[in-house]
């Protein structure tokens, strides 16, 4: 299932890294391990919904220049949680404020990630006259317990 949403700018505090796209599986997992192991350091900064639940966990991505463009040979990744825009990251943590975009959102698992992304880029976007206009973001809903994630693909009409 694919959903179109407009998300205003938002901020994420997390553990950041940079590396080659072809080696992303080697350098992104340690960022998640470090973020998860030290989450207590930023838990009081996490943005909460009306019921007091964390709004979201993000695997935020940007090009190496930090302009939130698509990855080329390399990219930047931030494993963290959504926070208010005025939150100040503690030492050892990084804060990104992502710009507002219109997104095509689709759900997948780690196992279906590559196929889902490929289908989105080669089928769904062209068929619906969309083009990708920035880095894809990964959203992990804390209420999901089955390891699902959502790919947020920033788009505009062609």
């Amino acid at each position: 299932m694919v959903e179109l949403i407009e998300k205003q700018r938002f901020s994420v505090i997390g553990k950041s890294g940079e590396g080659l796209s072809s080696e992303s599986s080697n350098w992104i997992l340690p960022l998640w391990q470090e973020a998860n192991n030290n989450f207590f350091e930023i838990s009081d900064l996490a943005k909460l919904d009306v019921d007091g639940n964390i709004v979201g966990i993000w695997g935020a991505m940007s090009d190496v220049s930090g302009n939130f463009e698509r990855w080329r040979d390399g990219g930047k990744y931030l494993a963290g949680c959504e926070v208010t825009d005025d939150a100040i990251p503690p030492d050892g943590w990084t804060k990104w404020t992502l710009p507002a975009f219109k997104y095509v959102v689709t759900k997948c698992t780690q196992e279906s990630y590559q196929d889902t992304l490929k289908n989105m880029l080669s089928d769904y976007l062209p068929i619906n006259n969309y083009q990708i206009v920035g880095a894809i973001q990964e959203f992990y809903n804390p209420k999901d317990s089955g390891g699902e994630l959502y790919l947020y693909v920033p788009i505009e009409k062609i």
Side-chain angles (χ1 to χ4, degrees):
M1 184 179 119
V2 174
E3 184 180 3
L4 283 175
I5 70 158
E6 289 194 36
K7 184 160 178 61
Q8 296 305 309
R9 78 179 204 159
F10 65 101
S11 296
V12 175
I13 289 179
K15 294 295 184 175
S16 65
E18 181 178 329
L20 294 172
S21 302
S22 60
E23 298 175 2
S24 61
S25 58
N26 297 331
W27 58 272
I28 290 177
L29 185 58
L31 296 175
W32 280 113
Q33 291 167 337
E34 186 180 357
N36 290 333
N37 289 340
N38 297 290
F39 182 74
F40 68 93
E41 296 177 7
I42 62 164
S43 60
D44 61 329
L45 300 174
K47 195 175 200 178
L48 305 176
D49 65 16
V50 293
D51 297 322
N53 300 307
I54 292 173
V55 170
I57 304 296
W58 290 89
M61 292 186 245
S62 178
D63 60 319
V64 292
S65 66
N67 292 324
F68 301 104
E69 299 291 331
R70 291 181 70 187
W71 283 17
R72 301 289 182 231
D73 293 334
K76 291 183 177 184
Y77 191 94
L78 184 69
C81 74
E82 191 165 341
V83 297
T84 58
D85 287 342
D86 61 353
I88 298 169
D91 287 345
W93 293 84
T94 301
K95 177 179 158 188
W96 288 0
T97 298
L98 290 81
F101 277 111
K102 180 181 281 188
Y103 290 98
V104 174
V105 180
T106 187
K107 192 175 192 177
C108 67
T109 63
Q110 290 296 338
E111 293 74 31
S112 67
Y113 189 110
Q114 291 301 326
D115 286 340
T116 302
L117 183 58
K118 182 179 171 223
N119 290 338
M120 177 65 68
L121 298 177
S122 62
D123 294 335
Y124 183 85
L125 295 183
I127 289 169
N128 291 283
N129 295 317
Y130 290 120
Q131 65 181 357
I132 185 169
V133 294
I136 297 165
Q137 310 303 331
E138 300 168 348
F139 173 74
Y140 299 84
N141 187 333
K143 295 176 184 172
D144 289 344
S145 58
E148 303 95 350
L149 68 140
Y150 298 81
L151 298 178
Y152 276 60
V153 180
I155 50 107
E156 65 183 27
K157 278 283 189 192
I158 296 175

